[in-house]
Amino acid sequence: QVQVVESGGGLVQPGGSLRLSCAASGSIFSINAMDWYRQTSGLERELVARITSGSRTNYADSVKGRFTISRDNAKNTVYLQMNSLRPEDTAVYYCRIESRSTISGPTYQYWGQGTQVTVSS
């Protein structure tokens, strides 16, 4: 089994910054893509940023130039640096990873429990 735990959320003023972290542990041989999603009450969960095993990244248009995703493979951890935050960035942020437990085994997706980010003055 794999555990995924996010941290770093909180309350920040508009224009401020936060750094989210997501650490995966357990039965992990390798991790492919690592993603950050967010969800606002009543809306669908949306992909914010993705980083592949080769460190290719892509971002939602709404966060390009403000958010940066990165990963530390030695620590099985992915980060989301969020700058110039806006009230519309307020949401619960979720981490998702795609991993396998053996060299030839199937890939599974695992989600964290989410961390609240609130941007307000």
Side-chain angles (χ1 to χ4, degrees), residues 91-109:
V92 178
Y93 284 71
Y94 296 91
C95 173
R96 186 188 79 162
I97 70 163
E98 299 174 355
S99 70
R100 53 168 53 94
S101 61
T102 63
I103 190 170
S104 59
T107 298
Y108 294 101
Q109 298 180 12

Side-chain angles (χ1 to χ4, degrees), residues 31-52:
I31 298 177
N32 297 338
M34 305 180 84
D35 306 326
W36 285 100
Y37 282 74
R38 66 186 180 187
Q39 186 171 27
T40 303
S41 180
L43 299 179
E44 290 187 1
R45 198 171 290 188
E46 65 167 344
L47 178 64
V48 174
R50 164 170 288 185
I51 185 165
T52 69

Side-chain angles (χ1 to χ4, degrees), residues 2-60:
V2 174
Q3 296 77 43
V4 179
V5 179
E6 302 102 333
S7 60
L11 173 64
V12 64
Q13 292 187 342
S17 298
L18 280 176
R19 189 192 195 208
L20 305 183
S21 299
C22 169
S25 61
S27 184
I28 297 173
F29 174 79
S30 64
I31 298 177
N32 297 338
M34 305 180 84
D35 306 326
W36 285 100
Y37 282 74
R38 66 186 180 187
Q39 186 171 27
T40 303
S41 180
L43 299 179
E44 290 187 1
R45 198 171 290 188
E46 65 167 344
L47 178 64
V48 174
R50 164 170 288 185
I51 185 165
T52 69
S53 57
S55 294
R56 288 193 304 246
T57 60
N58 62 285
Y59 298 91

Side-chain angles (χ1 to χ4, degrees), residues 49-97:
R50 164 170 288 185
I51 185 165
T52 69
S53 57
S55 294
R56 288 193 304 246
T57 60
N58 62 285
Y59 298 91
D61 288 343
S62 58
V63 307
K64 281 181 181 176
R66 301 188 297 122
F67 290 11
T68 302
I69 189 171
S70 60
R71 63 191 284 170
D72 184 334
N73 291 326
K75 297 180 179 179
N76 289 336
T77 299
V78 61
Y79 305 97
L80 186 67
Q81 178 66 44
M82 305 186 294
N83 299 329
S84 302
L85 282 161
R86 305 167 180 169
E88 53 264 39
D89 295 318
T90 296
V92 178
Y93 284 71
Y94 296 91
C95 173
R96 186 188 79 162
I97 70 163

